[in-house]
Amino acid sequence: MSTDLPGGPLDLTAKLYQEFAHRQVSLAASGEQPPAPLVVELDPTSFCDLACPECISGKLLNSGRFSDERLTGLAAELVEAGVEAVILIGGGEPLLHSAIGKVITLLHDGGISVGITTNGTTIHRHIDVLAEHANWTRVSVDAATAETYGRFRPGRGGRNRFAEVVRNMELLASRKSGKLGYSFLVMGRPSSGESNVSEIAAAAELAKRIGCDYFEVKPEYDREHFILGQDPRLLEVLSEQLARLRELDGDGFKVLSPATLGVIGGGGGTAVEVKDYTACPVADLRTLITTSGAYFCPYHRGNPAARYGDPETESFAGMWNGDLRRRVREDLRPDEHCRFHCIRHGSNLALFGMRDEPFEPVPDYDPFL
């Protein structure tokens, strides 16, 4: 499986050295805030048509959405600011927003790379714009069968959407110009003994069969962003499933897994990643905008202490350059407030290293740092 291939999609540290990012990365490494972030995660809406029990954003769901006018206005502001990439995510389900097609087109036409994280239920409604303008679309499925999907990703009202999601992915695979990914969170419920672990390999086989470009298997997080451990009895099954994945990697199909997957046998929510630094330069390169506020980091979605503006009433530039963000930037300390496993911990260490060792940039290949 691909985990840390230099220049690969999960090698977030290597991405820092690209030519397009050189100026902003150099500023962030020196402790200065760049004039704009390189990547913005944007939640168009907090509403969702699924009712997943393990949803990491469960306490924030169904609380609001941007108006069509404000969402398109935000997209225009991101283009004007010079943002390189936008990930439409949630929160809720981004493709449920009535202006999402217009927003994707506006961002694309403005020179911004667009990524979509979706549950896949409404891909068919936006097939033209997704096929033509999305650099990648990643669908959260977490199962290989309708039965398991129904337990972990039930629809509102009990409707099982698995077959629809698979059909939608096949449709997009037949027309896409960007990448299509199948996302699988390793989940288990100790109280009931339910788990999706035994379906990992079958899900990857399905992903390859329907035309996905990659399959990503990763650990589940709790609502405080700590990695959830699995029942020790399932770890042997997990090991067997992951071994089978290696046979599928190739012929234009990638199996991806972050290094954090190895933590799931080490204590779950009590597993701590110690950080000995007091500032987060990565947060000067990436930010989060949601219907409830602009947040310093996606890991702190919904955290009042990390909120630096109201995108409903403030411009993006006003929030980014405002006094509130400066205060949040000074007060939020990774050594105290980010003891969960952060996938950009390595990027922060690399940025600190750049202070003493200037780097030569490499050709551009992926704007999603």
Side-chain angles (χ1 to χ4, degrees):
M1 293 184 297
S2 301
T3 54
D4 57 357
L5 296 176
L10 297 184
D11 190 343
L12 302 176
T13 299
K15 293 181 185 182
L16 296 172
Y17 295 87
Q18 296 174 87
E19 177 67 41
F20 84 91
H22 186 263
R23 176 169 174 259
Q24 290 96 323
V25 166
S26 297
L27 287 171
S30 69
E32 297 182 48
Q33 176 179 295
L38 293 170
V39 182
V40 171
E41 293 193 18
L42 174 59
D43 294 0
T45 179
S46 67
F47 292 95
C48 188
D49 53 349
L50 298 184
C52 309
E54 284 79 17
C55 180
I56 196 171
S57 299
K59 63 184 179 182
L60 304 173
L61 288 179
N62 305 312
S63 58
R65 65 184 292 279
F66 287 114
S67 68
D68 290 7
E69 181 180 20
R70 183 58 195 129
L71 188 61
T72 54
L74 272 172
E77 291 170 17
L78 298 181
V79 171
E80 183 178 2
V83 170
E84 295 283 345
V86 169
I87 301 172
L88 297 165
I89 192 168
E93 166 50 46
L95 295 185
L96 288 181
H97 198 286
S98 53
I100 198 66
K102 184 175 181 180
V103 167
I104 293 171
T105 300
L106 195 159
L107 293 170
H108 174 270
D109 291 350
I112 291 179
S113 298
V114 180
I116 316 287
T117 296
T118 174
N119 64 26
T121 61
T122 58
I123 284 175
H124 61 291
R125 299 181 190 172
H126 311 285
I127 188 63
D128 291 335
V129 72
L130 291 176
E132 295 170 10
H133 296 330
N135 291 70
W136 53 261
T137 302
R138 185 172 68 239
V139 184
S140 301
V141 188
D142 308 330
T145 64
E147 181 182 5
T148 297
Y149 183 89
R151 286 199 299 267
F152 289 96
R153 303 191 67 79
R156 295 195 177 278
R159 180 180 173 189
N160 192 309
R161 312 292 295 274
F162 181 73
E164 298 171 57
V165 171
V166 172
R167 284 197 301 269
N168 281 341
M169 295 176 75
E170 287 182 300
L171 176 63
L172 182 55
S174 70
R175 297 185 51 183
K176 63 182 173 58
S177 57
K179 300 290 186 183
L180 174 61
Y182 192 120
S183 179
F184 193 107
L185 284 177
V186 177
M187 296 188 290
R189 297 172 182 163
S191 59
S192 64
E194 293 181 324
S195 172
N196 64 354
V197 173
S198 64
E199 293 193 0
I200 293 174
E205 291 168 356
L206 174 61
K208 190 170 186 176
R209 187 165 63 250
I210 64 179
C212 292
D213 297 283
Y214 66 92
F215 176 83
E216 184 176 7
V217 56
K218 50 194 176 181
E220 182 187 12
Y221 291 78
D222 67 16
R223 293 183 181 181
E224 302 302 320
H225 290 281
F226 285 93
I227 293 174
L228 288 170
Q230 290 294 323
D231 186 325
R233 293 170 295 181
L234 290 174
L235 296 182
E236 184 176 348
V237 179
L238 175 62
S239 180
E240 293 171 352
Q241 291 286 309
L242 296 181
R244 288 175 57 188
L245 293 187
R246 297 186 182 93
E247 302 171 4
L248 299 171
D249 197 302
D251 299 324
F253 181 76
K254 287 290 185 184
V255 176
L256 306 176
S257 174
T260 49
L261 187 62
V263 180
I264 65 172
T270 61
V272 168
E273 182 180 70
V274 176
K275 302 174 180 69
D276 61 1
Y277 46 90
T278 61
C280 180
V282 166
D284 285 333
L285 302 175
R286 299 177 54 89
T287 199
L288 170 69
I289 301 175
T290 80
T291 57
S292 65
Y295 294 94
F296 193 64
C297 166
Y299 280 99
H300 289 280
R301 179 187 269 107
N303 177 6
R307 186 177 185 273
Y308 66 87
D310 180 1
E312 293 278 12
T313 59
E314 300 176 75
S315 70
F316 175 73
M319 293 186 297
W320 182 259
N321 297 303
D323 290 336
L324 181 54
R325 188 176 190 279
R326 279 192 286 272
R327 290 198 297 272
V328 170
R329 189 171 180 265
E330 293 172 358
D331 294 342
L332 202 65
R333 293 172 51 115
D335 59 336
E336 293 183 6
H337 306 122
C338 306
R339 292 174 65 79
F340 42 73
H341 282 74
C342 174
I343 62 171
R344 290 182 172 80
H345 174 51
S347 297
N348 271 331
L349 297 179
L351 287 163
F352 292 129
M354 291 175 189
R355 294 179 179 179
D356 301 319
E357 297 183 16
F359 66 94
E360 289 294 326
V362 301
D364 298 340
Y365 62 91
D366 188 348
F368 296 93
L369 299 179

